[in-house]
C-alpha cells in the first residue's frame, strides 16, 4: 500500500512518514503543493494525505485538479481546528475524510484502514451517516431521527459524528475526550458523561430503539440493540 503525504510542516511530515512506514506502508513525502500534485499525477497511490494550507497550491486545489483529471485516489485532509467550512469544502470536493490538527496517530491509522477497507471512493453517501432512522448530514450539518429535525450544539454534533463514524465500536471516555474535546484522559471525564446524556435526551429519549449503549467500565457504543 502506497501513500503520498503532502505536508509543508517538516516536523509533521516526518512524523507522518515515519509512523506510516513503521505501520507497513510505502510512503512519499512532498513539501509543497506543486510537488504534491506532480507526485499524485505521475504515480499510483492507494491514498493521499493532504494538508490544506500548503505553499504554491493548497490541498483543495490539488484535490480539484486530481478529480478533474479523473484521478479518484482516496484523500484524507488535514485541517486546522474548528474550520468547519474547510471540512465541508473538502468533502464537497470529494475528499474521503478529514482530520483536525492536532490528531493522534492511532486515529489517522484507523481512518486510513477504514478507507482502504471500503475500497471505493467518496460518494454522496459518505457525507451522510445513517443508523436505523437516525441521519447525520455532514455537509448541511443536519441531524434527524424518524424524519424529525434535531438541533445539536457543535460539541454534540461532533460527538454524534464520532459515534456514527465508528458505530458498533466501543469508544472509551479517553478516546471520546481526545477526539471531541482534545483533552487527555486525566481530565474531567464527567464532561463526557454529561454530554452523552444530553445527546441521548435529544436523539434517543423520544425514540425507539435506543441507539447509544453504555458499556459498563468501558465506555459507550452506538449500535442497534441486539434483538431478544
Ligand atoms: Ca501547512
Amino acid at each position: 500500500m502506497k501513500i503520498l503525504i503532502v505536508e509543508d510542516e517538516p516536523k509533521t511530515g516526518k512524523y507522518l512518514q515515519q509512523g506510516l512506514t513503521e505501520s507497513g506502508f510505502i510512503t512519499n513525502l512532498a513539501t509543497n503543493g506543486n510537488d504534491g500534485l506532480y507526485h499524485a499525477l505521475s504515480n499510483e497511490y492507494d491514498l493521499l494525505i493532504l494538508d490544506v494550507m500548503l505553499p504554491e497550491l493548497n490541498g483543495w486545489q490539488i484535490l480539484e485538479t486530481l478529480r478533474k483529471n479523473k484521478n479518484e485516489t482516496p484523500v484524507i485532509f488535514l485541517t486546522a481546528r474548528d474550520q468547519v467550512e474547510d471540512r465541508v469544502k473538502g468533502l464537497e470536493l470529494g475528499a474521503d475524510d478529514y482530520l483536525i490538527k492536532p490528531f493522534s496517530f492511532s486515529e489517522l491509522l484507523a481512518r486510513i484502514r477504514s478507507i482502504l477497507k471500503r475500497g471505493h471512493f467518496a460518494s454522496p453517501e459518505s457525507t451522510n451517516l445513517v443508523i436505523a432512522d437516525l441521519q447525520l448530514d455532514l455537509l448541511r450539518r443536519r441531524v434527524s431521527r424518524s424524519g424529525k429535525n434535531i438541533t445539536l450544539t457543535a460539541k454534540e454534533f461532533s460527538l454524534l459524528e464520532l459515534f456514527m463514524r465508528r458505530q458498533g465500536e466501543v469508544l472509551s471516555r479517553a478516546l471520546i475526550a481526545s477526539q471531541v474535546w482534545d483533552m487527555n484522559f486525566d481530565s474531567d471525564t464527567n464532561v463526557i458523561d454529561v454530554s452523552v446524556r444530553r445527546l441521548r435526551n435529544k436523539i434517543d429519549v423520544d425514540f425507539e430503539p435506543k441507539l447509544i449503549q453504555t458499556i459498563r467500565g468501558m465506555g459507550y457504543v452506538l449500535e442497534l440493540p441486539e434483538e431478544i
Side-chain angles (χ1 to χ4, degrees):
M1 289 286 181
K2 214 168 151 189
I3 298 180
L4 174 66
I5 304 155
V6 189
E7 167 64 77
D8 59 314
E9 214 272 304
K11 243 173 97 181
T12 312
K14 238 180 156 178
Y15 165 76
L16 289 175
Q17 189 167 33
Q18 195 182 343
L20 291 172
T21 305
E22 280 167 8
S23 308
F25 296 100
I26 298 163
T27 56
N28 285 139
L29 174 65
T31 55
N32 67 61
N34 276 339
D35 281 357
L37 180 61
Y38 173 79
H39 278 290
L41 285 172
S42 52
N43 294 287
E44 289 265 335
Y45 290 101
D46 297 291
L47 182 85
L48 311 176
I49 298 174
L50 300 180
D51 186 26
V52 171
M53 300 309 287
L54 289 165
E56 297 173 24
L57 283 178
N58 66 36
W60 297 324
Q61 292 169 314
I62 295 175
L63 178 63
E64 229 172 347
T65 312
L66 289 174
R67 296 297 187 248
K68 266 186 202 150
N69 282 278
K70 306 278 176 238
N71 180 314
E72 299 292 336
T73 310
V75 167
I76 296 179
F77 269 123
L78 307 179
T79 75
R81 191 189 303 215
D82 291 335
Q83 303 273 300
V84 171
E85 280 162 33
D86 283 12
R87 294 187 237 164
V88 172
K89 182 159 180 178
L91 292 171
E92 277 175 341
L93 288 173
D96 293 76
D97 211 337
Y98 59 82
L99 275 175
I100 299 164
K101 288 178 171 181
F103 51 84
S104 71
F105 190 76
S106 59
E107 176 63 12
L108 174 67
L109 261 191
R111 303 283 182 95
I112 290 174
R113 295 214 166 106
S114 116
I115 287 176
L116 295 178
K117 204 163 69 187
R118 218 154 64 199
H120 61 81
F121 310 118
S123 56
E125 290 81 20
S126 67
T127 59
N128 206 4
L129 306 173
V130 178
I131 180 171
D133 54 355
L134 177 66
Q135 294 202 6
L136 182 146
D137 181 337
L138 285 167
L139 289 185
R140 289 167 195 82
R141 295 190 71 77
R142 263 188 223 146
V143 173
S144 66
R145 183 146 189 203
S146 268
K148 245 177 94 179
N149 278 329
I150 294 170
T151 309
L152 298 183
T153 65
K155 280 291 176 213
E156 289 163 353
F157 189 93
S158 301
L159 180 62
L160 182 60
E161 181 186 344
L162 176 68
F163 274 131
M164 292 191 81
R165 280 183 185 276
R166 302 177 67 163
Q167 46 188 274
E169 215 180 300
V170 178
L171 305 179
S172 67
R173 289 176 178 81
L175 182 123
I176 295 171
S178 70
Q179 290 302 308
V180 181
W181 279 268
D182 288 318
M183 296 190 317
N184 297 320
F185 185 41
D186 34 336
S187 311
D188 183 9
T189 51
N190 186 40
V191 174
I192 288 141
D193 295 328
V194 170
S195 297
V196 170
R197 196 180 317 138
R198 287 210 183 110
L199 184 60
R200 272 181 164 148
N201 282 338
K202 292 184 177 178
I203 66 153
D204 262 349
V205 162
D206 297 334
F207 304 94
E208 288 297 338
K210 309 299 179 205
L211 297 172
I212 299 176
Q213 326 294 339
T214 305
I215 311 293
R216 192 168 294 190
M218 295 181 73
Y220 298 98
V221 58
L222 180 84
E223 66 180 1
L224 283 165
E226 275 174 41
E227 286 180 49
I228 302 155

